[in-house]
Amino acid sequence: MRFGSLLLILAAAVPASAERLVRIFDVSPGTLDVLAADGMDIAAANAREGWIDVCLPDRETGRAALYSGRYDVLPVEWGMLTDENRGNAGAYYSWEENNAFWATLSAEHSDLVDTPVSIGTSVQGRDIMMIRMSSTVGGAYKPAMYFTALTHAREPGGNACLIDFADWLATNYDSDTMATWILDNTQVYFVPIVNPDTYILNCNPMGGSARKNQSPPDGVDLNRNYPYQWGYDDEGSSPDPYDETYRGPSAGSEPETQAVMNLIDSIDPVGGIHYHTYGGYLLRPFGYNNSNTADEATYAAWSAAMTEYNGYACGQCGDVLGYNANGDAVDWTYWNGGGHPRCMAMTVECDEDGFWGNQSDPSGLEALEEECRYMNIWICMMAPGFTGIGEQEGAPVSGGLSVGPVWPNPASVSASASVTMVSPGLVGLRVLDLAGRVVSEMPGMSLQEGASQVSIPVDGLPTGVYTLEVTGQGFGAASRFAVLR
Ligand code: 0X9
Ligand code: ZN
């Protein structure tokens, strides 16, 4: 007892070394390189507005003057947990609160939420937990979606967005068309805390803003450790073990990286989001050299639709943040050269004030969760209809007829599909929306034996995921496709 109170007094007498976020304005394109060369910890950046936030020890905030005539020392709670919020993460969710939330969600919705399972252990031996959600309704093949958070241990806003989305899905299943469609047609995999060791340290006792994992001597930046183009160059990714963007001794060296990789390689997701904070961005590959992927047109269209309401800035991280970064999770997850097909992977940088800005503001956190929820819903409803991304080619032959994939997919002006008949006969073609409503019906047509190309009217359809249904001679077949406007 006496020993315990002595420890408490000592702890109160030694102030934690406070870290402050400092916003440097009017930065030129080269400023980031200079900051990185000086070993500065970049917290966030906005290339279009010309500012960079850096993390500096409390007594050294004046160093910002070296880089610009204009800078602001940001409020202390933007950069760290305040004393009263240590241990419980304030309005955010601590490690313990996460464990309780996911266990309760799975117990209360056991038909929708699997029991949390470990997909690997961290450097310090903590379980990295994964939770799968899906309903018992639906076919044998249900495409996977993935969502991760807290790769960077000081970014709890993304974790809150995952908790909100999982809770929304479970609570609204059967009453909301989109929640029902997502759980009936997909499997949603959550990894809410990729980097538990440092997250726990950041919550208690440090209240801090550490980014890397706990690998000796100073941690590895897990978002530089993924094997695709790992160490391509030293821009935004460092070979120096003491740098905040240290990429590790080898590609995929870290147990936390391996846990996420093993999961993605085993579930072959069609799409998903790696959550980070902050700035208000929706980012897409490639981050390593700022080049477009083969799916740039689709990424651009999805990004515009996903940010319709929250106004997040979209693009590659080189364009939006102003720096490239190799070895990051989104490039590797998109890439099909590892153990999974290519996947429409994206990064969200939540729009909030610093890392811990909503710690005492639950309403701010709720607003953040809501603005991100729409992006989560949208990608879950769109990615499964995007042929070539995981989707099985066409639909299985059902009795006397079969239908191939709709092309192009996504469609906008016109589309067609190949219908194969075992014997000549009359067929009916309908297009259904996600709620199963008939949105267009074509006049019955008679088809010859073998394959015929039929055109599908898509010009009047809004952006969304649809099913082409073909029926005839007592049989039916279907093919899913997307329309993008
Ligand atoms: O630098 C990062 O790892 C991310 N920003 S953060 O402030 N959370 O550290 C951005 C990574 C974005 N990468 C790609 N779009 N490829
Ligand atoms: Zn991050």
Side-chain angles (χ1 to χ4, degrees), residues 74 214 284 296 389 467 479:
L74 300 170
Q214 288 300 306
R284 56 185 186 257
E296 172 60 16
I389 302 283
T467 302
S479 187

Coordinates of all heavy atoms in Angstrom, one line a residue, residues 74 214 284 296 389 467 479:
L74 N 0.3 24.0 -32.0 CA -1.1 23.6 -31.9 C -1.4 23.2 -30.5 O -0.5 22.9 -29.7 CB -1.3 22.4 -32.9 CG -1.0 22.8 -34.3 CD1 -1.0 21.6 -35.2 CD2 -2.0 23.8 -34.8
Q214 N 7.4 -1.6 -31.6 CA 8.4 -1.7 -30.5 C 9.6 -2.5 -30.8 O 10.3 -3.0 -29.9 CB 7.7 -2.2 -29.2 CG 6.7 -1.2 -28.6 CD 7.4 0.1 -28.2 OE1 8.4 0.1 -27.5 NE2 6.9 1.2 -28.7
R284 N -5.0 6.8 -52.7 CA -4.9 5.6 -53.5 C -3.5 5.3 -54.0 O -2.7 6.2 -54.0 CB -5.9 5.7 -54.7 CG -5.7 6.9 -55.6 CD -6.8 7.0 -56.6 NE -6.6 8.0 -57.7 CZ -7.3 9.1 -57.7 NH1 -8.1 9.5 -56.7 NH2 -7.1 10.0 -58.7
E296 N -6.6 3.4 -62.4 CA -6.7 4.8 -62.0 C -8.1 5.4 -62.3 O -8.7 6.1 -61.4 CB -5.7 5.6 -62.7 CG -5.8 7.1 -62.6 CD -5.7 7.6 -61.1 OE1 -5.2 6.8 -60.2 OE2 -6.1 8.8 -60.8
I389 N -11.8 -8.2 -59.9 CA -11.2 -8.0 -58.5 C -11.9 -9.1 -57.7 O -12.9 -9.0 -57.1 CB -11.6 -6.6 -58.0 CG1 -11.1 -5.5 -58.8 CG2 -11.1 -6.5 -56.6 CD1 -9.6 -5.3 -58.7
T467 N -27.7 -6.5 -60.5 CA -27.7 -7.9 -60.9 C -28.4 -8.0 -62.2 O -29.6 -7.6 -62.3 CB -28.3 -8.8 -59.8 OG1 -27.6 -8.6 -58.6 CG2 -28.2 -10.2 -60.2
S479 N -25.6 -12.3 -63.1 CA -24.3 -11.8 -63.2 C -24.3 -10.4 -62.6 O -25.2 -9.6 -62.9 CB -23.8 -11.7 -64.6 OG -22.4 -11.4 -64.7

